[in-house]
Amino acid sequence: MSLKKEFSVGILFSAFSKYSGIIISLGVTSILSRLLSPEQFGVVGVATVLIAFFNILGDIGIGPAIIQRNNLNQDDLKNIHSFTTLLGIILGGIFYFLSPIVARVYNDAQLIPICRLLCISIITTCWGIVPINLQYKAKRFKRIAIITVLIQLTVGIVACIMAYTGAGVYALVFQSILSSLFISLIYNLQSRLPLTWAIKRESLEKIYSFSLFQFLFNILVYFSRNLDKLLIGKMIGLSQLGYYDKSYRLMMLPLQNITFVITPVILPIFSALDNIKLIGEKYLKLLKPLSYISFPLSVLMFECSEELILIIFGNQWGPAVAPLKILSLTIGFQIILSTTGGIFQAAGATKHLFYSGCWGAFFIISSLLGAIYIWKTVEAVCYAYLLAQLANVIQCFISLFKVVGQNILIPFQIMFKSIMLSSITFAVLYVFGVAIADSDVWLRLITKTVIWGVLTTLLIQLFTPYNILHMIKGRFKSILS
């Protein structure tokens, strides 16, 4: 199968998984947001952020190494799988005994039983690292998509039933536990990798050079992406964290629509290219259309922030509107940035990925600390996050395009043109938004979305090399034929 066809197939099934997951997630979140309070979401938000850190410790960069390394035999995989499983058990035990400390830091005793239950997800997640990544390595995107959607739907229904019957915050806790348990169980049954106590050091050494810098990069990304939640929960309050978390999750939807569909496919496909410069050329072909999608999506999310919050979560979540507006301005940059990690990995340049991550973490962490300690508002945190993303995109592309041997000015030229076109859409939508400000919330959302869609299509049609109308016409003919 050709590179283009493999990439298209991977994108197709990855898109099916993500789009279905988004619909399920929105439906489940909409129900849970009406049954649970912002503070309950904030409590679980703190716990899951900490769980994510322990999951990174359990992975230690092994997941991507399994995909990228082609010299691993069955015995190596058995040893690595046993190592990650044992490490998960150890980390789960550590987190269990640290639960009272977490509760004391956030002055909330209910964090003790919550954290102790969530330690189960650390163990199950580590248990599934090798089997899951073997599926990606084998490019079984269809199987992954179907399993993911079925688990999301099942776990979402269970969480809603628990919340409705009065389980409260534990509906969110078991949603997290069951999700990681089912995923790891299914992939372990499929891979049939045995576990052994006699773990051979030679197997771990085969992935050490790759996984070390990948692990360090993951640690940096974790702190740069989660420090805001940890500090908001501690310095501003768990209720404000609940509002921030809701706005942050909505902001992430376009990322799930675009990059989370593409990124799982990038590493397996681009790793097959043995020429670094060719990787750079292929990436530029991906970057152009991606930029013409990402920045317009940022505009749409900004203009529809109020409508989305009120419709999905309800009127009690009104304080989440302002943070969502600010965070939406970062969407275009984050979509572009999210694809760079797979290119670094495919080029075997995890060391450069780590160095780039160091700069990114510095920008984000320093700006967040300043915002929280000086202004102590969620809105200030969002503005700091925006400024950090602007600085991060500059340093990341300079580093990446040096690695792949391409002109470092090209990605900035591509983004500049897309931003200019998106600014036109922004201005038009702003005027229409003022004109229909007193209309029904659903009418406002539909009107803005239609105007955005028409105007974005027209601008791309007129000022870019992509003929959308021709593509739609061709697709329509193929359906009728």
Side-chain angles (χ1 to χ4, degrees):
M1 189 182 293
S2 67
L3 176 68
K4 183 177 180 180
K5 190 169 183 181
E6 281 187 334
F7 196 77
S8 299
V9 170
I11 291 293
L12 174 64
F13 288 112
S14 186
F16 165 74
S17 172
K18 290 304 177 183
Y19 294 155
S20 300
I22 287 169
I23 294 171
I24 294 169
S25 178
L26 282 175
V28 170
T29 303
S30 180
I31 295 171
L32 293 177
S33 297
R34 287 164 171 79
L35 296 172
L36 303 174
S37 69
E39 185 174 359
Q40 287 174 313
F41 276 96
V43 170
V44 177
V46 168
T48 52
V49 165
L50 295 171
I51 289 292
F53 175 69
F54 276 79
N55 286 339
I56 291 174
L57 295 179
D59 181 277
I60 56 173
I62 287 175
I66 293 294
I67 300 174
Q68 202 267 350
R69 288 291 191 252
N70 295 317
N71 61 338
L72 301 175
N73 56 39
Q74 198 66 17
D75 191 52
D76 293 327
L77 295 173
K78 179 184 70 173
N79 285 298
I80 297 170
H81 180 43
S82 301
F83 173 75
T84 55
T85 302
L86 178 61
L87 185 58
I89 295 172
I90 294 171
L91 291 172
I94 292 172
F95 190 70
Y96 181 91
F97 290 107
L98 287 178
S99 299
I101 298 175
V102 175
R104 197 175 302 120
V105 169
Y106 287 92
N107 299 314
D108 197 322
Q110 66 178 323
L111 274 168
I112 296 177
I114 289 173
C115 290
R116 286 179 172 173
L117 280 172
L118 285 172
C119 75
I120 298 172
S121 69
I122 297 175
I123 299 171
T124 54
T125 299
C126 292
W127 181 43
I129 289 170
V130 174
I132 290 170
N133 283 283
L134 284 176
Q135 296 294 316
Y136 278 109
K137 187 182 185 71
K139 302 170 186 175
R140 293 173 182 150
F141 302 114
K142 180 179 179 180
R143 180 183 298 180
I144 295 169
I146 294 172
I147 291 172
T148 302
V149 170
L150 290 176
I151 289 176
Q152 281 184 305
L153 181 60
T154 303
V155 172
I157 291 172
V158 171
C160 290
I161 293 173
M162 289 184 67
Y164 183 75
T165 54
V169 71
Y170 290 98
L172 300 174
V173 173
F174 277 91
Q175 184 182 22
S176 176
I177 293 173
L178 292 176
S179 180
S180 63
L181 174 62
F182 288 159
I183 288 175
S184 296
L185 178 62
I186 290 172
Y187 287 124
N188 268 279
L189 291 174
Q190 288 182 344
S191 68
R192 298 183 181 276
L193 276 176
L195 295 172
T196 177
W197 290 107
I199 301 171
K200 296 179 181 177
R201 181 179 177 181
E202 293 79 8
S203 298
L204 300 175
E205 288 176 347
K206 287 185 178 181
I207 60 173
Y208 173 77
S209 61
F210 182 98
S211 60
L212 173 62
F213 286 105
Q214 179 65 50
F215 167 65
L216 294 174
F217 173 76
N218 290 344
I219 292 290
L220 288 171
V221 170
Y222 166 83
F223 280 109
S224 62
R225 289 191 175 182
N226 292 288
L227 185 65
D228 51 352
K229 301 179 186 66
L230 293 172
L231 290 177
I232 289 172
K234 175 63 179 175
M235 303 295 296
I236 304 178
L238 292 176
S239 294
Q240 290 300 310
L241 174 59
Y243 293 126
Y244 178 82
D245 187 59
K246 278 289 173 286
S247 62
Y248 189 90
R249 289 178 183 273
L250 266 184
M251 178 271 293
M252 291 292 290
L253 281 180
L255 290 172
Q256 293 173 331
N257 272 292
I258 306 299
T259 56
F260 288 4
V261 170
I262 297 174
T263 50
V265 183
I266 286 179
L267 178 56
I269 301 300
F270 278 75
S271 291
L273 301 174
D274 56 2
N275 186 306
I276 292 181
K277 195 164 186 177
L278 181 60
I279 291 175
E281 292 173 358
K282 296 292 184 182
Y283 179 59
L284 278 175
K285 290 183 178 180
L286 172 65
L287 187 62
K288 287 182 180 180
L290 192 61
S291 66
Y292 291 124
I293 297 172
S294 59
F295 290 104
L297 280 174
S298 185
V299 171
L300 178 64
M301 182 64 77
F302 180 92
E303 293 293 345
C304 296
S305 293
E306 181 179 3
E307 291 78 14
L308 289 171
I309 291 289
L310 296 179
I311 290 172
I312 297 174
F313 302 133
N315 293 331
Q316 71 271 28
W317 291 88
V321 174
L324 179 57
K325 280 185 173 292
I326 303 167
L327 289 174
S328 66
L329 298 176
T330 70
I331 290 173
F333 299 107
Q334 290 199 80
I335 288 177
I336 299 296
L337 277 173
S338 295
T339 63
T340 58
I343 304 301
F344 275 116
Q345 292 166 347
T350 52
K351 186 175 182 179
H352 291 84
L353 176 63
F354 169 66
Y355 291 150
S356 177
C358 287
W359 280 108
F362 168 75
F363 292 136
I364 293 176
I365 292 174
S366 59
S367 62
L368 290 177
L369 288 173
I372 287 180
Y373 281 97
I374 296 174
W375 290 284
K376 293 185 178 181
T377 66
V378 170
E379 287 79 4
V381 172
C382 294
Y383 280 119
Y385 190 79
L386 171 60
L387 292 174
Q389 290 297 336
L390 290 173
N392 196 17
V393 75
I394 294 173
Q395 67 82 20
C396 184
F397 273 121
I398 291 175
S399 177
L400 177 62
F401 278 78
K402 284 182 178 179
V403 168
V404 297
Q406 299 292 325
N407 188 335
I408 62 174
L409 294 178
I410 295 177
F412 299 109
Q413 292 170 349
I414 292 172
M415 286 190 292
F416 179 76
K417 184 174 181 180
S418 178
I419 291 172
M420 290 299 99
L421 293 178
S422 299
S423 299
I424 299 173
T425 307
F426 181 91
V428 174
L429 276 180
Y430 178 80
V431 173
F432 273 94
V434 173
I436 61 174
D438 297 326
S439 304
D440 175 75
V441 64
W442 275 102
L443 178 61
R444 298 202 307 268
L445 178 63
I446 294 172
T447 301
K448 290 179 180 179
T449 304
V450 171
I451 294 172
W452 172 86
V454 172
L455 190 55
T456 299
T457 301
L458 183 61
L459 290 172
I460 293 176
Q461 181 75 21
L462 293 176
F463 298 105
T464 76
Y466 303 102
N467 193 322
I468 294 182
L469 298 179
H470 179 73
M471 293 167 60
I472 295 173
K473 182 179 178 181
R475 178 64 62 182
F476 185 69
K477 283 184 177 180
S478 66
I479 294 172
L480 294 179
S481 59

